[in-house]
C-alpha cells in the first residue's frame, strides 16, 4: 500500500513512517521543512509550503492509497496558535476534498482526546462520550473531525 504521511517529520509521525515501512508499505512523507532531505521509512519526500487551505494537495498525495494526517502546529498558545489551528483545519478539509477526487481509499486523521475535555474526574472518556472541548485546540480539532465526517458522507471518502 502507498501511504502519504502528512506532517511526517513530527514525533509520532516519524515512528509511524518506520512502522509502515517495516510492514512493507511505501511511504511518501509530506513535510514543510525543506532542509530535511531524508526521513527513515520514507521512500519519497514531498514538500509543502504549509498545511493551509491554499495548498495544492493533489500533487502531494499523488499515487497514495491512504493518507495519514498527523500535522500539528508549533505556534504554542494564544491568538497566533488559534490562527494556525484554523489554517490547519481549513487545509485538512481541503485535503479531504482533494483525497476524495483521487485514488485515496482511506483518510486517517490524527485528532486529540482534548475534543472530549481537558480531564476526567470520575469516568474515563469512552467512544460514546459527548465531546466538550474546553480550549481552542480541542474545539478546532472537533470542528475538523466534523468537517471530515461531512466530506466522507458527501463524497464517499472513508475517514478514520
Amino acid at each position: 500500500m502507498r501511504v502519504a504521511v502528512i506532517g511526517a517529520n513530527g514525533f509520532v509521525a516519524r515512528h509511524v513512517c518506520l512502522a509502515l515501512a517495516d510492514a512493507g508499505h511505501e511511504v511518501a512523507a509530506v513535510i514543510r521543512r525543506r532542509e530535511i532531505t531524508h526521513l527513515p521509512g520514507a521512500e519519497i519526500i514531498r514538500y509543502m509550503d504549509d498545511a493551509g487551505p491554499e495548498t495544492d494537495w493533489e500533487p502531494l498525495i499523488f499515487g497514495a492509497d491512504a493518507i495519514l494526517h498527523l500535522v500539528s502546529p508549533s505556534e504554542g498558545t494564544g491568538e497566533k496558535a488559534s490562527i494556525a489551528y484554523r489554517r490547519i483545519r481549513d487545509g485538512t478539509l481541503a485535503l479531504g476534498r482533494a483525497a476524495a477526487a483521487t485514488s485515496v481509499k482511506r483518510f486517517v486523521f490524527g485528532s486529540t482526546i482534548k475534543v472530549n475535555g481537558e480531564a476526567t474526574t470520575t469516568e474515563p472518556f469512552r467512544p460514546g462520550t459527548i465531546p466538550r472541548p474546553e480550549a481552542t485546540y480541542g474545539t478546532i480539532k472537533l470542528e475538523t473531525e466534523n468537517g471530515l465526517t461531512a466530506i466522507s458522507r458527501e463524497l464517499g471518502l472513508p475517514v478514520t
Side-chain angles (χ1 to χ4, degrees):
M1 178 183 293
R2 294 167 294 177
V3 183
V5 180
I6 315 298
N9 61 308
F11 177 76
V12 171
R14 285 176 186 254
H15 294 282
V16 169
C17 288
L18 281 171
L20 287 168
D22 287 346
H25 301 289
E26 179 184 313
V27 177
V30 181
I31 61 175
R32 289 183 302 158
R33 294 181 49 200
R34 294 181 188 276
E35 70 273 13
I36 297 174
T37 58
H38 173 75
L39 277 172
E43 292 184 31
I44 300 166
I45 296 181
R46 295 181 177 144
Y47 301 98
M48 62 182 171
D49 290 327
D50 79 1
E54 299 87 10
T55 298
D56 184 5
W57 289 106
E58 288 195 31
L60 297 170
I61 61 172
F62 177 79
D65 300 308
I67 294 173
L68 271 67
H69 186 283
L70 301 172
V71 172
S72 180
S74 57
E75 274 72 14
T77 60
E79 186 57 28
K80 188 175 179 182
S82 294
I83 291 167
Y85 299 155
R86 286 181 179 88
R87 277 194 60 70
I88 291 173
R89 174 201 57 207
D90 296 346
T92 303
L93 299 179
L95 172 59
R97 287 186 287 279
T102 67
S103 62
V104 171
K105 296 172 185 65
R106 172 68 55 186
F107 188 110
V108 178
F109 175 63
S111 190
T112 177
I113 196 67
K114 290 180 178 279
V115 300
N116 289 318
E118 292 297 313
T120 61
T121 53
T122 58
E123 292 289 322
F125 295 134
R126 299 182 191 282
T129 298
I130 296 171
R132 289 189 175 93
E134 298 172 29
T136 303
Y137 178 72
T139 299
I140 292 175
K141 283 285 195 171
L142 179 59
E143 290 170 2
T144 308
E145 289 180 15
N146 291 337
L148 288 170
T149 298
I151 289 169
S152 178
R153 287 185 182 135
E154 177 187 344
L155 303 176
L157 176 69
V159 175
T160 301

